[in-house]
Amino acid sequence: MTRTPFALAALSLAILSGCNKAPEETQKNTVQVESAQAVTAVAPIAKKVPHEMTIHGDTRIDNYYWLRDDERKAPEIINYLEAENAYSDAMLAHTKKLQSSLFEELKGRIQKDDDSVPVKDGQYYYSSQTRGDNEYATYLRSSDFAGTDQEVILDVNELAKGHDYFAVSGLNVSPNDNLMAYGEDTVSRRVYNIKIKDLSTGKLLEDTLEGTSGYVVWANDNKTVYYIKKDAQTLLGYQVYRHTLGTPQSDDELVYEETDTSYYTGMSKSKDGSEIYIWHSSTDASGLSVLNANDVNAKPKRLIEREANLEYSISKLGNTYYIVTNLNAVNFQLMKVDIDKAGDKANWQSVIPAREGIKLEGVELFDDYLVYQQREMGQSTLIARNLTSGKELPLSFNDSAYTINAYGNNELDSDTLRVYYTSMTTPGSSYDVNLATGEKTLLKQQTVLGDFNADNYASERIFVTARDGVKVPVSLVYRKELFKKDGTNPLLQYGYGSYGATMDPSFSSARLTLLDRGFVFAIAHVRGSQMLGRPWYEAGKLLTKKNTFNDFVDVTKSLVEQKYGAKDSIFAQGGSAGGLLMGAVANQAPELYKGMVAQVAFVDVVTTMLDETIPLTTNEYGEWGNPNEKEYYDYMLSYSPYDQVSKQDYPNMLVTTGLHDSQVQYFEPAKWVAKLRDYKTDDNKLLFKIDMEAGHGGASGRFKRLEDAALNYAFMLDLAGIKK
């Protein structure tokens, strides 16, 4: 929704034609290759073609605007990107063996033959499995939890053959369990073609729905589906169509069209299957329209008219809607209303009122229980309430900081809650929790192969005082016997801080690669997330966005002062909007960091937010501001990483992107790297890796993704002086 290969190439590169620098002016670096021969790799220098952009009486000159090609076919641009890849490979040639060993180490922790915990939906239990060296999952179903009669319903490995990139989405079985819809993306632009499979014969129907968001919602007649069509230019899903199986897509009926480009459109179905919802969501407002799932001619009806700054979502139980809303509640409250009276907010009755310092995050409904999730002082908890007695039971876990989420709870007539639980030292675990007693049954914990022992690691949760006196939460993890707290450990600090997305502490088997080499890993829960509730988000967006960057810098300084990390071996990493964070921090405090990894980085904020043809732009005025208004233009310009590049030293930097990225277009980091290379006054590494086949999410295979991780880790370990 919002803005998370390493073959060795040629070691000597020619300067691109059209460059405006002589060879002696280009940045040069000497690398040591395996043969111990010194080789000079010349960084690609992009030509300058001044492009003027004027608004509010201010003219900006973008010398690298020419790197944008919406078709992604221009030979000059493709050649430039390939030259950047070759240069990065050359500069990291001496780490090739390290990358290879890291990849094998990362891969060696993964259980090749793995099965998910079955989830009941209708008459079947659904699960997935991976086998051997297969890159993708196989999806199955069975009539019982034990899987005694498992049948394969989709083998993604077979579908992916012949594709450099392949992703499926939105597997959804019809109410009668006979048909399954799913989306296919072979380009990584997150535009899907939907296929329908007959599960009794294993054959595909002739129906193919093109240009969609990747999923359908079934009407209860088992032959009508609703889907969202995407705009071909902006890639915004904005039209809801109704399709009857066996008819051409051209005959599909337009059921709803979103005319306000600041809204996203989504769909879902009530747990009891009686209603279909069209969700409308912008940065600071939301709502929904309702269709009768039993009427294939139904027209959507707004629950209430949309209002600025009013957010709500509903869950249906019998004839009652339970509503999570910010109505008269900054941190949200739970209300309920009879369905036939829901259109008037005056009828909404408080169930869990607004509470100071506690954010209500969501609810899960059962016939006899209401389970709600809340966040207090940065920690989420689940509380089960008996709907008859009103008695509440908190669902407790041992770690001081953890991630917990309910999932797969598709049945109303259940007294068991399925949850996923993890902490920075506890691998991902699935539990069934008895809602009457709180008793937990562990169904599965992620297997980590090798010599992993959770007792070897420790995590902490601390608060750092930022420059304006606000206390910022920080999650830390390290290997006990390697952590000295004497200012000698290398440290990697991660951050995001946008869209209210909260990066809760969780386990990563890949991260062990760093921890086992003495690294400390820290998550800075900067403003712009909702770690400390909705006000924490509001304090890191629009005209307060710089708090996000200041928090990150202040956390780094404090961690060094408290001797969690060595001042000359601090690294930073962030992706997408977290890449914006990396860019802003690199401009503001480059001296603090030995190296940075900026992944799919959103760095050209002003130009992108002025261009309504780019995906996600108009939807995000509520997040960043609308630069067509001078107040927002001036503020955004003052922190935009691309615009604020200056003649100064920068950290060693590894920047990554995907050519087909639909959320942060490849040309943003491409332009940023070109400008950095022109302006920076140091001899530090500036490397740009472009996956020529992937998009925003990176490589599609489970093992191929590990190559990217190995590259990132090798970059940091090499700079930290850790050679194996």
Side-chain angles (χ1 to χ4, degrees):
M1 74 179 268
T2 56
R3 317 263 191 241
T4 25
F6 55 93
L8 183 61
L11 295 178
S12 183
L13 303 172
I15 301 203
L16 295 180
S17 60
C19 295
N20 64 344
K21 285 191 175 184
E24 63 270 17
E25 294 177 288
T26 62
Q27 178 187 1
K28 293 186 178 182
N29 291 273
T30 300
V31 299
Q32 196 71 22
V33 296
E34 294 173 43
S35 64
Q37 296 176 339
V39 180
T40 299
V42 181
I45 303 299
K47 67 181 180 181
K48 293 181 179 179
V49 181
H51 176 82
E52 288 191 5
M53 296 174 287
T54 301
I55 189 172
H56 306 305
D58 179 56
T59 297
R60 293 179 298 134
I61 305 296
D62 186 348
N63 288 320
Y64 304 106
Y65 192 89
W66 68 272
L67 281 168
R68 174 177 177 174
D69 173 29
D70 290 349
E71 297 297 318
R72 292 158 170 78
K73 295 178 180 178
E76 184 178 23
I77 294 173
I78 297 299
N79 289 341
Y80 171 76
L81 297 178
E82 290 177 341
E84 285 284 7
N85 275 340
Y87 174 69
S88 294
D89 288 339
M91 293 302 296
L92 292 173
H94 63 294
T95 72
K96 184 179 179 183
K97 284 186 176 179
L98 177 60
Q99 291 181 48
S100 180
S101 66
L102 291 176
F103 172 74
E104 294 301 326
E105 179 180 316
L106 294 168
K107 187 176 179 181
R109 291 198 190 98
I110 295 176
Q111 185 171 325
K112 291 186 176 182
D113 294 345
D114 199 11
D115 296 83
S116 69
V117 178
V119 171
K120 192 173 190 297
D121 192 1
Q123 299 302 309
Y124 289 91
Y125 290 84
Y126 293 85
S127 63
S128 64
Q129 66 175 206
T130 51
R131 291 291 181 264
D133 290 326
N134 285 344
E135 291 280 5
Y136 302 96
T138 299
Y139 294 92
L140 311 100
R141 72 177 182 181
S142 175
S143 62
D144 59 23
F145 182 84
T148 55
D149 57 353
Q150 276 187 344
E151 61 173 320
V152 173
I153 57 175
L154 197 70
D155 185 347
V156 183
N157 298 284
E158 288 297 320
L159 298 177
K161 287 181 178 178
H163 297 285
D164 293 315
Y165 178 92
F166 192 86
V168 297
S169 70
L171 277 68
N172 194 351
V173 176
S174 60
N176 64 5
D177 299 316
N178 291 336
L179 302 171
M180 180 180 68
Y182 63 93
E184 290 184 350
D185 175 14
T186 59
V187 181
S188 192
R189 292 284 283 170
R190 300 191 181 183
V191 179
Y192 298 85
N193 291 338
I194 291 171
K195 305 292 183 69
I196 311 290
K197 184 175 183 179
D198 187 327
L199 296 179
S200 61
T201 66
K203 295 182 179 179
L204 291 176
L205 304 188
E206 293 185 1
D207 304 71
T208 296
L209 307 176
E210 298 180 345
T212 81
S213 293
Y215 65 99
V216 307
V217 175
W218 289 89
N220 289 338
D221 69 342
N222 299 293
K223 60 182 181 181
T224 302
V225 296
Y226 295 84
Y227 65 94
I228 298 172
K229 191 79 178 289
K230 285 196 169 187
D231 181 276
Q233 175 64 41
T234 67
L235 305 186
L236 176 66
Y238 73 111
Q239 294 175 319
V240 177
Y241 279 90
R242 181 161 43 213
H243 173 77
T244 302
L245 299 184
T247 66
Q249 186 178 8
S250 58
D251 289 348
D252 291 352
E253 178 186 359
L254 179 63
V255 174
Y256 175 84
E257 181 168 357
E258 182 56 69
T259 57
D260 185 338
T261 55
S262 69
Y263 276 82
Y264 292 101
T265 301
M267 290 190 305
S268 66
K269 198 172 187 180
S270 61
K271 192 183 281 192
D272 68 3
S274 65
E275 293 182 338
I276 295 170
Y277 305 126
I278 301 173
W279 297 95
H280 322 296
S281 59
S282 67
T283 301
D284 51 15
S286 63
L288 62 87
S289 299
V290 183
L291 295 113
N292 185 340
N294 295 305
D295 180 3
V296 296
N297 297 307
K299 304 297 182 184
K301 180 182 178 181
R302 288 266 170 89
L303 188 71
I304 59 171
E305 288 303 310
R306 295 195 307 219
E307 299 178 24
N309 302 312
L310 176 65
E311 299 179 60
Y312 70 91
S313 61
I314 68 170
S315 299
K316 181 177 179 291
L317 183 62
N319 294 316
T320 302
Y321 287 144
Y322 284 80
I323 307 168
V324 176
T325 179
N326 68 344
L327 178 65
N328 303 319
V330 171
N331 270 324
F332 292 76
Q333 64 169 316
L334 181 64
M335 309 185 82
K336 71 176 182 179
V337 65
D338 291 344
I339 288 177
D340 58 0
K341 298 179 180 178
D344 184 350
K345 296 196 304 296
N347 296 321
W348 296 9
Q349 302 171 353
S350 183
V351 177
I352 300 174
R355 294 156 296 166
E356 184 70 24
I358 302 177
K359 181 177 183 291
L360 180 67
E361 296 189 308
V363 299
E364 190 72 60
L365 286 169
F366 301 90
D367 287 338
D368 299 321
Y369 293 93
L370 161 70
V371 180
Y372 62 96
Q373 186 158 350
Q374 65 182 28
R375 184 182 295 271
E376 183 175 12
M377 288 299 293
Q379 181 58 61
S380 280
T381 54
L382 291 168
I383 297 98
R385 175 183 292 188
N386 186 298
L387 289 173
T388 301
S389 68
K391 181 180 178 181
E392 292 195 342
L393 179 66
L395 307 181
S396 60
F397 289 85
N398 294 329
D399 293 298
S400 59
Y402 55 83
T403 297
I404 188 167
N405 291 299
Y407 81 98
N409 296 285
N410 302 312
E411 310 299 314
L412 284 166
D413 60 342
S414 176
D415 60 0
T416 299
L417 178 76
R418 175 71 56 80
V419 301
Y420 176 82
Y421 174 86
T422 181
S423 75
M424 296 183 88
T425 58
T426 306
S429 308
S430 290
Y431 288 91
D432 274 348
V433 183
N434 186 298
L435 294 174
T437 66
E439 180 181 356
K440 299 186 291 289
T441 301
L442 178 62
L443 303 174
K444 179 184 177 180
Q445 184 173 91
Q446 174 191 349
T447 300
V448 182
L449 301 181
D451 61 354
F452 171 74
N453 183 341
D455 293 336
N456 291 334
Y457 304 88
S459 65
E460 296 183 38
R461 186 163 175 260
I462 65 173
F463 285 82
V464 164
T465 302
R467 64 193 67 180
D468 59 357
V470 171
K471 294 187 181 300
V472 180
V474 182
S475 298
L476 296 140
V477 65
Y478 46 80
R479 184 162 181 138
K480 292 176 184 177
E481 75 269 22
L482 299 179
F483 177 57
K484 308 301 182 184
K485 203 175 182 180
D486 60 358
T488 62
N489 287 87
L491 182 145
L492 172 60
Q493 182 175 313
Y494 169 81
Y496 187 75
S498 293
Y499 305 105
T502 301
M503 303 303 171
D504 282 309
S506 60
F507 185 81
S508 165
S509 65
R511 189 188 301 140
L512 299 176
T513 290
L514 295 181
L515 304 186
D516 290 349
R517 288 167 173 80
F519 264 77
V520 175
F521 179 78
I523 305 174
H525 303 290
V526 295
R527 279 172 279 188
S529 72
Q530 295 186 83
M531 174 58 77
L532 297 181
R534 187 55 176 250
W536 198 246
Y537 173 37
E538 300 296 338
K541 61 185 276 200
L542 297 173
L543 299 175
T544 62
K545 188 62 202 171
K546 289 181 183 178
N547 286 333
T548 302
F549 319 136
N550 294 342
D551 286 354
F552 193 90
V553 169
D554 293 346
V555 166
T556 301
K557 291 179 178 178
S558 180
L559 292 178
V560 171
E561 289 170 2
Q562 296 184 61
K563 299 188 182 302
Y564 280 100
K567 66 177 182 179
D568 60 351
S569 196
I570 304 296
F571 298 85
Q573 184 172 4
S576 196
L580 163 66
L581 173 60
M582 294 299 100
V585 167
N587 287 333
Q588 180 185 146
E591 73 283 356
L592 296 181
Y593 304 95
K594 180 75 170 181
M596 283 187 170
V597 177
Q599 300 161 294
V600 292
F602 172 44
V603 287
D604 192 15
V605 184
V606 178
T607 303
T608 291
M609 294 305 296
L610 281 169
D611 190 343
E612 296 185 8
T613 69
I614 292 178
L616 305 183
T617 292
T618 55
N619 301 81
E620 302 201 350
Y621 287 155
E623 179 72 24
W624 312 104
N626 184 348
N628 292 293
E629 301 174 26
K630 189 175 188 305
E631 180 182 30
Y632 289 109
Y633 173 83
D634 290 342
Y635 188 77
M636 295 163 69
L637 187 62
S638 72
Y639 70 75
S640 171
Y642 181 62
D643 293 284
Q644 293 303 317
V645 169
S646 64
K647 291 189 178 297
Q648 63 175 358
D649 287 358
Y650 280 88
N652 294 282
M653 301 178 74
L654 172 61
V655 181
T656 68
T657 192
L659 179 64
H660 299 285
D661 197 330
S662 61
Q663 294 180 268
V664 178
Q665 309 294 306
Y666 78 89
F667 44 81
E668 288 201 41
K671 295 195 307 177
W672 183 45
V673 168
K675 188 173 182 180
L676 279 169
R677 195 163 276 138
D678 183 43
Y679 275 63
K680 74 191 196 80
T681 55
D682 57 82
D683 291 324
N684 290 331
K685 291 183 174 69
L686 174 58
L687 308 179
F688 187 32
K689 285 292 291 183
I690 309 98
D691 190 324
M692 304 299 284
E693 305 296 337
H696 198 66
S700 57
R702 63 171 174 154
F703 294 126
K704 192 173 187 300
R705 290 178 185 273
L706 298 180
E707 295 181 2
D708 299 336
L711 174 70
N712 295 338
Y713 288 171
F715 171 76
M716 289 185 280
L717 290 170
D718 180 56
L719 292 171
I722 301 171
K723 302 303 181 182
K724 60 180 182 179

